[in-house]
Amino acid sequence: MAVTERPEASGTADADYFAERRLRRGAAGWVLLAGLGVSYVISGDFSGWNLGLAQGGWGGLLIAFVLMGIMYTCMVFGLAEMSSSLPTAGAGYGFARRALGRLGGFATGMAILIEYAIAPAAIAVFIGGYVESLGLFGLTSSWPVFLACYVVFIGIHLVGVGEALKAMFAISAVAVVALVVFAVGMIGSFDVANLFDIVPTDAAGASTFLPFGYSGAMAALVFGIWFFLAIEGVPLAAEEATDPAKDMPKGIIVAMGVLVVTGALVLVLAPGGAGSAAMGSSASPLPDALEAVGQTGLATFVNYAGLAGLVASFFSIVYAYSRQLFALSRAGYLPRWLSRTSSRQTPLWALVVPGTIGFVLAVVIANGDQLINIAVFGAAVSYVLLNLSHIVLRVREPDLPRAYRTPGGVVTTSVALVLSVVAVVATFVVDPVAAGITAAIFVAFLAYFWFWSRHRLVANAPEEEFDSIAAAEADLR
């Protein structure tokens, strides 16, 4: 349990400082927020999840989907409560700042930032795969696709948040239609035997259900996360929501319900029609599955519409990383110039800097599998801290106003906490080198905070003020 901290060498900022760092309020109601949640994640239904078949077989990926679905559902309930109580652009960082202190808040924010900076790079690689499978533009290299994604979609975000959220909602609707079309095209070709067509290995625990044994099932957890990765970003829109206390819980819970249904559909129908072995190595699994069962026309439609799903997630996670970086920078945890907003009240540098880093990583690594593992490492670390934050806030601040309360209370988020620790371990099972390097970068950021930025915080930034109010109230008791 955290103790109340006092500012060490923090300074206050004047009105001009915050005038240069202002977001547009009232831009999103719960429907747009639910659409944002779906947008964050829906690319995971079109590509990436299927790589888990090559790690754990269909049985391993099914176990991963169920366990990670439980983890996310429990965590979403906790986030719904915290976002209704502490509605700031910092979201996860802000929650952990209140519960775990400055170091815990910064650690959570940086873990989320690693996730959100890397996930678009992975999605850009998958978009390149879909573009190449369609034979568009005669491209023999995907880097122009990566560049176009970052330039076009960051540009739209710079126009304004209301416009961006509406565009994300429309693109996500196209993607959902594509998933419905996919399900209609595949359901008549479903055969249970196709789910288990991977020949069992000699690994411990290997069987027809788990062809790669227990270790394969563990490795598949990373790809089970891909079905839901980034939904926790919905609270990042808190300062731009119409009524965050009511809209945030409703938006994130509705989005989670939609994603459970769409994830289950592709997990069952794609390998159930085309075979798990074929799907485990596909760059564009849904169109390839439809082609395999003779639905060529539908495959072409889903291929094009699948781009909409990938674009929706790319587009929305760009929004997420910009708001997380904006909040950390505004409070002084990262260089303050990164939080300056444009005349349209969009965070210019918080959009451009991570986008540049993501583009470079997409070009240099160009491996969606490896990029997923890096993003999931950051995500899983943040989940540990977010669930712990909910538990600490419930115990330490039982009287904190809560417009929404998590069903089951700390028991619910304790389940999510245990599963998130397991997810962190899974990233080292899949790719210990990539996870180890990412962990080292994370530790370097913590050192930056400890030796530099903690002495230069902005005491009257929203997340810091929440803590100051709590400290004052504690002194009065």
Side-chain angles (χ1 to χ4, degrees):
M1 186 179 301
V3 296
T4 302
E5 298 180 58
R6 295 286 189 262
E8 294 184 23
S10 301
T12 57
D14 60 21
D16 289 341
Y17 178 85
F18 290 105
E20 294 175 344
R21 294 161 174 82
R22 186 171 61 245
L23 299 174
R24 179 178 165 189
R25 297 183 182 276
W30 77 265
V31 174
L32 279 182
L33 292 173
L36 176 62
V38 173
S39 294
Y40 280 143
V41 187
I42 201 164
S43 67
D45 291 334
F46 287 91
S47 206
W49 65 269
N50 57 301
L51 301 175
L53 295 168
Q55 295 283 344
W58 191 80
L61 189 55
L62 174 65
I63 292 171
F65 177 82
V66 171
L67 290 179
M68 295 300 96
I70 291 170
M71 180 190 76
Y72 272 94
T73 301
C74 292
M75 182 175 70
V76 158
F77 285 133
L79 289 172
E81 177 180 305
M82 291 189 291
S83 63
S84 72
S85 302
L86 305 168
T88 70
Y93 135 67
F95 308 152
R97 169 68 187 91
R98 177 70 172 256
L100 307 177
R102 287 195 178 93
L103 180 60
F106 180 75
T108 304
M110 288 311 305
I112 293 171
L113 198 54
I114 288 171
E115 171 194 355
Y116 289 163
I118 302 302
I123 295 168
V125 171
F126 297 138
I127 290 174
Y130 267 70
V131 169
E132 288 184 25
S133 71
L134 287 167
L136 298 177
F137 314 119
L139 294 175
T140 57
S141 174
S142 292
W143 76 262
V145 176
F146 306 160
L147 181 61
C149 287
Y150 279 101
V151 170
V152 171
F153 299 120
I154 288 176
I156 294 173
H157 277 292
L158 290 172
V159 172
V161 64
E163 293 79 2
L165 288 174
K166 290 171 185 174
M168 281 187 270
F169 191 88
I171 296 169
S172 298
V174 173
V176 171
V177 169
L179 290 173
V180 172
V181 170
F182 166 78
V184 171
M186 292 297 299
I187 197 165
S189 302
F190 176 80
D191 186 340
V192 173
N194 291 332
L195 300 173
F196 307 108
D197 66 348
I198 297 176
V199 177
T201 65
D202 57 359
S207 64
T208 303
F209 184 73
L210 293 176
F212 302 102
Y214 304 131
S215 61
M218 185 71 172
L221 289 175
V222 169
F223 302 94
I225 286 176
W226 196 245
F227 283 106
F228 309 105
L229 184 80
I231 191 172
E232 73 280 0
V234 173
L236 287 164
E239 289 187 27
E240 293 152 294
T242 305
D243 184 354
K246 295 181 179 178
D247 294 338
M248 279 296 160
K250 189 181 296 185
I252 195 171
I253 291 170
V254 168
M256 185 64 197
V258 171
L259 294 166
V260 168
V261 172
T262 58
L265 280 175
V266 299
L267 174 62
V268 172
L269 293 178
S276 292
M279 290 294 94
S281 59
S282 173
S284 49
L286 304 196
D288 287 353
L290 287 166
E291 287 278 5
V293 300
Q295 298 283 1
T296 304
L298 293 182
T300 301
F301 171 79
V302 170
N303 209 343
Y304 280 101
L307 278 172
L310 293 166
V311 164
S313 290
F314 183 95
F315 195 20
S316 56
I317 297 175
V318 166
Y319 170 88
Y321 76 55
S322 69
R323 270 49 182 183
Q324 187 66 85
L325 180 54
F326 166 83
L328 286 166
S329 169
R330 180 178 61 181
Y333 288 87
L334 292 174
R336 296 181 187 182
W337 60 268
L338 288 167
S339 58
R340 293 193 179 188
T341 52
S342 69
S343 60
R344 300 189 67 88
Q345 297 179 8
T346 56
L348 171 64
W349 296 111
L351 283 162
V352 172
V353 171
T356 303
I357 295 170
F359 168 71
V360 171
L361 288 174
V363 172
V364 172
I365 297 178
N367 183 323
D369 192 343
Q370 192 169 59
L371 288 167
I372 285 176
N373 198 56
I374 295 171
V376 167
F377 173 83
V381 170
S382 75
Y383 299 162
V384 171
L385 296 169
L386 286 171
N387 288 303
L388 182 60
S389 296
H390 177 265
I391 294 167
V392 169
L393 284 173
R394 271 295 189 95
V395 173
R396 197 180 74 190
E397 300 190 50
D399 298 326
L400 181 70
R402 292 170 168 88
Y404 172 87
R405 298 184 71 87
T406 302
V410 297
V411 174
T412 298
T413 42
S414 293
V415 171
L417 175 61
V418 172
L419 290 172
S420 59
V421 171
V422 173
V424 173
V425 175
T427 63
F428 287 91
V429 173
V430 173
D431 189 340
V433 174
I437 292 172
T438 310
I441 293 171
F442 179 66
V443 170
F445 275 116
L446 295 183
Y448 165 81
F449 165 78
W450 190 255
F451 292 109
W452 180 261
S453 70
R454 74 186 176 106
H455 304 295
R456 292 164 176 80
L457 302 181
V458 179
N460 56 333
E463 294 80 9
E464 296 297 304
E465 285 195 326
F466 272 131
D467 191 69
S468 297
I469 292 168
E473 290 174 347
D475 288 342
L476 292 173
R477 294 193 187 109

